[in-house]
Amino acid sequence: MKFVYFTHSLVSDWNHGNAHFLRGVLTELIERGHEVAVYEPRDAWSLQNLLNDQGRAALGGFENAYPALSSIQYNPDDLSLEKALSEADVAIVHEWNDHELVARVGEHRRKNGGYRLFFHDTHHRCVTDEKSMGDYDLSGYDGVLAFGSVIRDRYREKGWAKDAWTWHEAADTRVFRPEDGRSERADVVWIGNWGDEERTAELQEFLLDPVKELGLKATVYGVRYPDQALNALAHAGIDYAGWLPNYKAPCVFAKHRMTVHVPRRPYVEALPGIPTIRMFEALACGIPLISAPWNDSEGLFRPGTDFLMARDGAEMKVQMKRLLDDASLRGQVAASGLERVRRHHTCGHRVDELLQILAGLEKEERKAVALL
């Protein structure tokens, strides 16, 4: 089959976590013999920030890490959907695209048919920016691929789409896998973007304060750190290392004894069951992980086995010390998390799920035709 994906950016993961998952899913599709075509706007915000921050050399790094992947960059005013979708069997439009493109693709599907069409939602805006999400015209779409059941249910309850399915993110285990670390490791690493004041207090409580109080050697990677955030890191004795391309994370994890997961506040308060993609990726790399509170309502993991949970900053401090003092515990937690991801949460599993959704739609269509 031919899959066409309209993304914000494939080549840039600068503050763009969906690129991680997309790269893994597309690689899996290609290796199974499918054809993929990816379209991204030439002036994508993530790409422009990456170029301003790192220069064009960063694009060479992507090309070396993902030799099978490439994208077609377009000017929105000149994009020919007739050409882009002429041989498509499946088209997916990510929710970072503007309303006009989403509506144009839906209209093309209504007029031409011939392919399945999905909207892919991997953000919390269905709760935090409900009007904008409700304004998307999804009437020409088969439905929504939502990265959590609570988001899937939101689309169904609001009547924003004909149907919706849960399609969690996952780890690209071709890239995210355990690597041999150096014998001398630092203590803690956190990879994530600051951004939008959605977890400022949480990062202070669950990362900065415990690291400072325990006197640990820690490093933080990510972008969009304002001066006050950089000052807070320095005050806690934490090294700030800036942007890290997703494909370099396994090497970084291998140099540290543990990592932490600090979900953004909207997911904790309104959208239970959705971890960040970095949690999948960290566990796939075999590093012990301690998480700030979140409700694993869908049973993705086994809290206390696949990772440790800390209910507050004091407990995070206790859990960090447990892992530092007990190499056996570190090994047990890392092995369990790795096994869980490999068994349930790889991009291969998500491709299987997508193909099952497609098969279900075909079955329903054949049943409807038989009843005519």
Side-chain angles (χ1 to χ4, degrees):
M1 289 189 289
K2 180 176 181 179
F3 291 78
V4 178
Y5 196 103
F6 294 89
T7 182
H8 173 74
S9 184
L10 174 72
V11 301
S12 173
D13 61 10
W14 197 98
N15 199 62
H16 182 217
N18 178 247
H20 305 200
F21 179 59
L22 179 57
R23 292 166 178 175
V25 165
L26 294 180
T27 300
E28 181 71 25
L29 286 169
I30 290 170
E31 293 204 358
R32 295 190 188 194
H34 299 289
E35 181 182 355
V36 302
V38 182
Y39 288 82
E40 64 176 275
R42 184 172 294 119
D43 61 350
W45 173 87
S46 175
L47 176 59
Q48 296 307 312
N49 277 283
L50 175 63
L51 294 174
N52 291 337
D53 189 18
Q54 299 290 322
R56 300 201 67 84
L59 301 184
F62 161 77
E63 293 166 357
N64 291 333
Y66 299 95
L69 300 182
S70 63
S71 64
I72 300 166
Q73 296 186 351
Y74 66 87
N75 183 328
D77 295 332
D78 300 330
L79 176 63
S80 169
L81 292 182
E82 287 69 28
K83 180 178 180 181
L85 295 164
S86 62
E87 299 179 350
D89 296 295
V90 181
I92 303 175
V93 184
H94 188 251
E95 48 85 17
W96 267 31
N97 286 289
D98 61 37
H99 291 75
E100 182 181 358
L101 177 68
V102 172
R104 283 185 61 198
V105 177
E107 182 63 20
H108 181 276
R109 160 71 186 285
R110 271 195 297 267
K111 290 181 177 179
N112 298 278
Y115 59 91
R116 294 296 179 189
L117 178 59
F118 300 99
F119 186 68
H120 188 195
D121 192 335
T122 63
H123 203 262
H124 56 63
R125 289 194 299 145
C126 69
V127 170
T128 57
D129 194 0
E130 185 174 304
K131 182 181 185 308
S132 177
M133 298 308 293
D135 285 344
Y136 279 113
D137 180 3
L138 303 181
S139 57
Y141 289 64
D142 287 293
V144 175
L145 303 172
F147 80 144
S149 293
V150 64
I151 294 178
R152 174 203 65 193
D153 294 344
R154 190 85 170 177
Y155 277 91
R156 291 176 175 176
E157 292 164 3
K158 294 290 183 179
W160 287 341
K162 294 176 184 176
D163 206 344
W165 300 267
T166 301
W167 201 41
H168 278 287
E169 293 181 315
D172 177 4
T173 50
R174 292 177 179 83
V175 173
F176 293 91
R177 58 187 185 274
E179 292 191 2
D180 292 334
R182 294 182 296 192
S183 57
E184 292 297 324
R185 295 185 179 185
D187 298 316
V188 181
V189 62
W190 188 70
I191 304 174
N193 306 319
W194 192 266
D196 303 326
E197 298 298 319
E198 291 177 347
R199 56 183 167 197
T200 302
E202 291 83 351
L203 286 171
Q204 186 71 49
E205 179 179 5
F206 290 96
L207 178 62
L208 277 66
D209 288 347
V211 165
K212 181 182 179 183
E213 291 169 15
L214 290 171
L216 304 182
K217 182 174 177 54
T219 307
V220 162
Y221 292 83
V223 299
R224 300 182 69 195
Y225 280 69
D227 288 342
Q228 62 266 31
L230 297 176
N231 291 336
L233 290 176
H235 182 68
I238 297 174
D239 294 331
Y240 173 64
W243 174 72
L244 181 75
N246 78 311
Y247 50 83
K248 290 188 177 181
C251 179
V252 168
F253 284 136
K255 297 174 182 176
H256 294 82
R257 291 184 176 87
M258 72 185 77
T259 188
V260 297
H261 172 241
V262 185
R264 293 176 185 268
R265 197 172 307 123
Y267 295 112
V268 175
E269 295 180 348
L271 296 172
I274 303 175
T276 71
I277 192 169
R278 297 189 189 276
M279 184 170 183
F280 293 111
E281 293 171 345
L283 296 183
C285 290
I287 184 172
L289 181 146
I290 311 171
S291 180
W294 67 287
N295 179 11
D296 187 7
S297 59
E298 297 184 52
L300 299 176
F301 301 105
R302 298 163 295 186
T305 301
D306 301 327
F307 66 93
L308 303 182
M309 186 77 83
R311 291 169 294 182
D312 52 33
E315 191 165 350
M316 176 62 80
K317 183 177 171 182
V318 170
Q319 298 286 41
M320 284 183 173
K321 194 166 189 318
R322 285 183 68 203
L323 286 179
L324 287 173
D325 293 344
D326 191 338
S328 176
L329 177 62
R330 291 200 304 272
Q332 291 171 13
V333 173
S336 295
L338 175 61
E339 183 270 338
R340 188 70 171 182
V341 168
R342 286 178 171 174
R343 188 176 292 271
H344 297 286
H345 303 306
T346 71
C347 287
H349 290 106
R350 300 304 180 252
V351 167
D352 289 340
E353 293 166 7
L354 178 58
L355 296 178
Q356 289 169 6
I357 291 169
L358 291 168
L361 287 171
E362 292 301 317
K363 183 177 180 180
E364 290 176 9
E365 191 170 271
R366 288 195 300 270
K367 185 184 296 185
V369 170
L371 294 175
L372 294 178

